[in-house]
mmCIF file with all atom_site columns, all heavy atoms in Angstrom:
data_model
loop_
_atom_site.group_PDB
_atom_site.id
_atom_site.type_symbol
_atom_site.label_atom_id
_atom_site.label_alt_id
_atom_site.label_comp_id
_atom_site.label_asym_id
_atom_site.label_entity_id
_atom_site.label_seq_id
_atom_site.pdbx_PDB_ins_code
_atom_site.Cartn_x
_atom_site.Cartn_y
_atom_site.Cartn_z
_atom_site.occupancy
_atom_site.B_iso_or_equiv
_atom_site.pdbx_formal_charge
_atom_site.auth_seq_id
_atom_site.auth_comp_id
_atom_site.auth_asym_id
_atom_site.auth_atom_id
_atom_site.pdbx_PDB_model_num
ATOM 1   N N   . LYS I 1 232 ? -55.912 202.991 -31.470 1.00 0.00 ? 245 LYS I N   1
ATOM 2   C CA  . LYS I 1 232 ? -55.097 201.801 -31.723 1.00 0.00 ? 245 LYS I CA  1
ATOM 3   C C   . LYS I 1 232 ? -55.851 200.546 -31.306 1.00 0.00 ? 245 LYS I C   1
ATOM 4   O O   . LYS I 1 232 ? -55.827 199.531 -32.016 1.00 0.00 ? 245 LYS I O   1
ATOM 5   C CB  . LYS I 1 232 ? -53.773 201.913 -30.968 1.00 0.00 ? 245 LYS I CB  1
ATOM 6   C CG  . LYS I 1 232 ? -52.787 200.794 -31.267 1.00 0.00 ? 245 LYS I CG  1
ATOM 7   C CD  . LYS I 1 232 ? -51.459 201.039 -30.558 1.00 0.00 ? 245 LYS I CD  1
ATOM 8   C CE  . LYS I 1 232 ? -50.460 199.935 -30.868 1.00 0.00 ? 245 LYS I CE  1
ATOM 9   N NZ  . LYS I 1 232 ? -49.166 200.164 -30.175 1.00 0.00 ? 245 LYS I NZ  1
ATOM 10  N N   . TRP I 1 233 ? -56.536 200.596 -30.185 1.00 0.00 ? 246 TRP I N   1
ATOM 11  C CA  . TRP I 1 233 ? -57.283 199.430 -29.717 1.00 0.00 ? 246 TRP I CA  1
ATOM 12  C C   . TRP I 1 233 ? -58.486 199.147 -30.623 1.00 0.00 ? 246 TRP I C   1
ATOM 13  O O   . TRP I 1 233 ? -58.788 197.989 -30.900 1.00 0.00 ? 246 TRP I O   1
ATOM 14  C CB  . TRP I 1 233 ? -57.717 199.637 -28.262 1.00 0.00 ? 246 TRP I CB  1
ATOM 15  C CG  . TRP I 1 233 ? -56.590 199.446 -27.273 1.00 0.00 ? 246 TRP I CG  1
ATOM 16  C CD1 . TRP I 1 233 ? -55.254 199.625 -27.505 1.00 0.00 ? 246 TRP I CD1 1
ATOM 17  C CD2 . TRP I 1 233 ? -56.708 199.045 -25.908 1.00 0.00 ? 246 TRP I CD2 1
ATOM 18  N NE1 . TRP I 1 233 ? -54.518 199.370 -26.367 1.00 0.00 ? 246 TRP I NE1 1
ATOM 19  C CE2 . TRP I 1 233 ? -55.393 199.012 -25.366 1.00 0.00 ? 246 TRP I CE2 1
ATOM 20  C CE3 . TRP I 1 233 ? -57.794 198.747 -25.089 1.00 0.00 ? 246 TRP I CE3 1
ATOM 21  C CZ2 . TRP I 1 233 ? -55.148 198.674 -24.038 1.00 0.00 ? 246 TRP I CZ2 1
ATOM 22  C CZ3 . TRP I 1 233 ? -57.538 198.397 -23.752 1.00 0.00 ? 246 TRP I CZ3 1
ATOM 23  C CH2 . TRP I 1 233 ? -56.229 198.363 -23.242 1.00 0.00 ? 246 TRP I CH2 1
ATOM 24  N N   . VAL I 1 234 ? -59.149 200.194 -31.088 1.00 0.00 ? 247 VAL I N   1
ATOM 25  C CA  . VAL I 1 234 ? -60.231 199.994 -32.052 1.00 0.00 ? 247 VAL I CA  1
ATOM 26  C C   . VAL I 1 234 ? -59.680 199.377 -33.333 1.00 0.00 ? 247 VAL I C   1
ATOM 27  O O   . VAL I 1 234 ? -60.278 198.462 -33.916 1.00 0.00 ? 247 VAL I O   1
ATOM 28  C CB  . VAL I 1 234 ? -60.950 201.320 -32.360 1.00 0.00 ? 247 VAL I CB  1
ATOM 29  C CG1 . VAL I 1 234 ? -61.890 201.163 -33.561 1.00 0.00 ? 247 VAL I CG1 1
ATOM 30  C CG2 . VAL I 1 234 ? -61.740 201.797 -31.154 1.00 0.00 ? 247 VAL I CG2 1
ATOM 31  N N   . GLY I 1 235 ? -58.521 199.851 -33.773 1.00 0.00 ? 248 GLY I N   1
ATOM 32  C CA  . GLY I 1 235 ? -57.894 199.290 -34.964 1.00 0.00 ? 248 GLY I CA  1
ATOM 33  C C   . GLY I 1 235 ? -57.611 197.811 -34.823 1.00 0.00 ? 248 GLY I C   1
ATOM 34  O O   . GLY I 1 235 ? -57.744 197.042 -35.786 1.00 0.00 ? 248 GLY I O   1
ATOM 35  N N   . SER I 1 236 ? -57.239 197.380 -33.624 1.00 0.00 ? 249 SER I N   1
ATOM 36  C CA  . SER I 1 236 ? -56.983 195.956 -33.400 1.00 0.00 ? 249 SER I CA  1
ATOM 37  C C   . SER I 1 236 ? -58.260 195.141 -33.530 1.00 0.00 ? 249 SER I C   1
ATOM 38  O O   . SER I 1 236 ? -58.250 194.051 -34.121 1.00 0.00 ? 249 SER I O   1
ATOM 39  C CB  . SER I 1 236 ? -56.379 195.749 -32.007 1.00 0.00 ? 249 SER I CB  1
ATOM 40  O OG  . SER I 1 236 ? -56.206 194.369 -31.740 1.00 0.00 ? 249 SER I OG  1
ATOM 41  N N   . ILE I 1 237 ? -59.369 195.662 -33.001 1.00 0.00 ? 250 ILE I N   1
ATOM 42  C CA  . ILE I 1 237 ? -60.644 194.947 -33.131 1.00 0.00 ? 250 ILE I CA  1
ATOM 43  C C   . ILE I 1 237 ? -61.014 194.794 -34.600 1.00 0.00 ? 250 ILE I C   1
ATOM 44  O O   . ILE I 1 237 ? -61.436 193.726 -35.049 1.00 0.00 ? 250 ILE I O   1
ATOM 45  C CB  . ILE I 1 237 ? -61.758 195.696 -32.373 1.00 0.00 ? 250 ILE I CB  1
ATOM 46  C CG1 . ILE I 1 237 ? -61.479 195.711 -30.874 1.00 0.00 ? 250 ILE I CG1 1
ATOM 47  C CG2 . ILE I 1 237 ? -63.119 195.047 -32.634 1.00 0.00 ? 250 ILE I CG2 1
ATOM 48  C CD1 . ILE I 1 237 ? -62.461 196.557 -30.095 1.00 0.00 ? 250 ILE I CD1 1
ATOM 49  N N   . VAL I 1 238 ? -60.848 195.861 -35.362 1.00 0.00 ? 251 VAL I N   1
ATOM 50  C CA  . VAL I 1 238 ? -61.182 195.821 -36.784 1.00 0.00 ? 251 VAL I CA  1
ATOM 51  C C   . VAL I 1 238 ? -60.255 194.858 -37.521 1.00 0.00 ? 251 VAL I C   1
ATOM 52  O O   . VAL I 1 238 ? -60.701 194.079 -38.378 1.00 0.00 ? 251 VAL I O   1
ATOM 53  C CB  . VAL I 1 238 ? -61.116 197.228 -37.395 1.00 0.00 ? 251 VAL I CB  1
ATOM 54  C CG1 . VAL I 1 238 ? -61.280 197.167 -38.917 1.00 0.00 ? 251 VAL I CG1 1
ATOM 55  C CG2 . VAL I 1 238 ? -62.183 198.126 -36.781 1.00 0.00 ? 251 VAL I CG2 1
ATOM 56  N N   . ARG I 1 239 ? -58.966 194.882 -37.192 1.00 0.00 ? 252 ARG I N   1
ATOM 57  C CA  . ARG I 1 239 ? -58.026 193.963 -37.847 1.00 0.00 ? 252 ARG I CA  1
ATOM 58  C C   . ARG I 1 239 ? -58.387 192.517 -37.536 1.00 0.00 ? 252 ARG I C   1
ATOM 59  O O   . ARG I 1 239 ? -58.389 191.660 -38.433 1.00 0.00 ? 252 ARG I O   1
ATOM 60  C CB  . ARG I 1 239 ? -56.592 194.257 -37.397 1.00 0.00 ? 252 ARG I CB  1
ATOM 61  C CG  . ARG I 1 239 ? -55.615 193.150 -37.788 1.00 0.00 ? 252 ARG I CG  1
ATOM 62  C CD  . ARG I 1 239 ? -54.178 193.534 -37.540 1.00 0.00 ? 252 ARG I CD  1
ATOM 63  N NE  . ARG I 1 239 ? -53.660 194.304 -38.662 1.00 0.00 ? 252 ARG I NE  1
ATOM 64  C CZ  . ARG I 1 239 ? -52.377 194.613 -38.823 1.00 0.00 ? 252 ARG I CZ  1
ATOM 65  N NH1 . ARG I 1 239 ? -51.492 194.254 -37.916 1.00 0.00 ? 252 ARG I NH1 1
ATOM 66  N NH2 . ARG I 1 239 ? -51.981 195.292 -39.872 1.00 0.00 ? 252 ARG I NH2 1
ATOM 67  N N   . MET I 1 240 ? -58.683 192.206 -36.277 1.00 0.00 ? 253 MET I N   1
ATOM 68  C CA  . MET I 1 240 ? -59.078 190.844 -35.926 1.00 0.00 ? 253 MET I CA  1
ATOM 69  C C   . MET I 1 240 ? -60.366 190.447 -36.644 1.00 0.00 ? 253 MET I C   1
ATOM 70  O O   . MET I 1 240 ? -60.575 189.283 -36.968 1.00 0.00 ? 253 MET I O   1
ATOM 71  C CB  . MET I 1 240 ? -59.276 190.730 -34.414 1.00 0.00 ? 253 MET I CB  1
ATOM 72  C CG  . MET I 1 240 ? -58.006 190.905 -33.587 1.00 0.00 ? 253 MET I CG  1
ATOM 73  S SD  . MET I 1 240 ? -56.736 189.666 -33.919 1.00 0.00 ? 253 MET I SD  1
ATOM 74  C CE  . MET I 1 240 ? -57.503 188.204 -33.224 1.00 0.00 ? 253 MET I CE  1
ATOM 75  N N   . GLN I 1 241 ? -61.214 191.428 -36.918 1.00 0.00 ? 254 GLN I N   1
ATOM 76  C CA  . GLN I 1 241 ? -62.481 191.145 -37.584 1.00 0.00 ? 254 GLN I CA  1
ATOM 77  C C   . GLN I 1 241 ? -62.320 190.943 -39.080 1.00 0.00 ? 254 GLN I C   1
ATOM 78  O O   . GLN I 1 241 ? -62.947 190.065 -39.667 1.00 0.00 ? 254 GLN I O   1
ATOM 79  C CB  . GLN I 1 241 ? -63.463 192.293 -37.339 1.00 0.00 ? 254 GLN I CB  1
ATOM 80  C CG  . GLN I 1 241 ? -64.775 192.135 -38.081 1.00 0.00 ? 254 GLN I CG  1
ATOM 81  C CD  . GLN I 1 241 ? -65.715 193.307 -37.859 1.00 0.00 ? 254 GLN I CD  1
ATOM 82  O OE1 . GLN I 1 241 ? -65.730 193.911 -36.808 1.00 0.00 ? 254 GLN I OE1 1
ATOM 83  N NE2 . GLN I 1 241 ? -66.502 193.625 -38.875 1.00 0.00 ? 254 GLN I NE2 1
ATOM 84  N N   . GLU I 1 242 ? -61.499 191.746 -39.716 1.00 0.00 ? 255 GLU I N   1
ATOM 85  C CA  . GLU I 1 242 ? -61.482 191.788 -41.172 1.00 0.00 ? 255 GLU I CA  1
ATOM 86  C C   . GLU I 1 242 ? -60.248 191.180 -41.823 1.00 0.00 ? 255 GLU I C   1
ATOM 87  O O   . GLU I 1 242 ? -60.284 190.854 -43.011 1.00 0.00 ? 255 GLU I O   1
ATOM 88  C CB  . GLU I 1 242 ? -61.614 193.242 -41.642 1.00 0.00 ? 255 GLU I CB  1
ATOM 89  C CG  . GLU I 1 242 ? -62.955 193.869 -41.285 1.00 0.00 ? 255 GLU I CG  1
ATOM 90  C CD  . GLU I 1 242 ? -64.124 193.154 -41.931 1.00 0.00 ? 255 GLU I CD  1
ATOM 91  O OE1 . GLU I 1 242 ? -63.999 192.704 -43.080 1.00 0.00 ? 255 GLU I OE1 1
ATOM 92  O OE2 . GLU I 1 242 ? -65.162 193.023 -41.270 1.00 0.00 ? 255 GLU I OE2 1
ATOM 93  N N   . GLU I 1 243 ? -59.159 191.013 -41.086 1.00 0.00 ? 256 GLU I N   1
ATOM 94  C CA  . GLU I 1 243 ? -57.932 190.553 -41.721 1.00 0.00 ? 256 GLU I CA  1
ATOM 95  C C   . GLU I 1 243 ? -57.482 189.194 -41.237 1.00 0.00 ? 256 GLU I C   1
ATOM 96  O O   . GLU I 1 243 ? -56.902 188.427 -42.003 1.00 0.00 ? 256 GLU I O   1
ATOM 97  C CB  . GLU I 1 243 ? -56.802 191.574 -41.499 1.00 0.00 ? 256 GLU I CB  1
ATOM 98  C CG  . GLU I 1 243 ? -57.041 192.900 -42.183 1.00 0.00 ? 256 GLU I CG  1
ATOM 99  C CD  . GLU I 1 243 ? -55.875 193.855 -42.018 1.00 0.00 ? 256 GLU I CD  1
ATOM 100 O OE1 . GLU I 1 243 ? -54.779 193.401 -41.635 1.00 0.00 ? 256 GLU I OE1 1
ATOM 101 O OE2 . GLU I 1 243 ? -56.048 195.055 -42.259 1.00 0.00 ? 256 GLU I OE2 1
ATOM 102 N N   . ILE I 1 244 ? -57.700 188.870 -39.976 1.00 0.00 ? 257 ILE I N   1
ATOM 103 C CA  . ILE I 1 244 ? -57.193 187.621 -39.423 1.00 0.00 ? 257 ILE I CA  1
ATOM 104 C C   . ILE I 1 244 ? -58.265 186.549 -39.594 1.00 0.00 ? 257 ILE I C   1
ATOM 105 O O   . ILE I 1 244 ? -59.224 186.486 -38.840 1.00 0.00 ? 257 ILE I O   1
ATOM 106 C CB  . ILE I 1 244 ? -56.789 187.775 -37.946 1.00 0.00 ? 257 ILE I CB  1
ATOM 107 C CG1 . ILE I 1 244 ? -55.644 188.789 -37.836 1.00 0.00 ? 257 ILE I CG1 1
ATOM 108 C CG2 . ILE I 1 244 ? -56.379 186.447 -37.356 1.00 0.00 ? 257 ILE I CG2 1
ATOM 109 C CD1 . ILE I 1 244 ? -55.143 189.016 -36.440 1.00 0.00 ? 257 ILE I CD1 1
#
Side-chain angles (χ1 to χ4, degrees):
K245 186 176 181 180
W246 284 27
V247 169
S249 176
I250 295 174
V251 172
R252 167 171 276 190
M253 294 298 291
Q254 176 182 327
E255 295 298 323
E256 294 183 16
I257 297 181

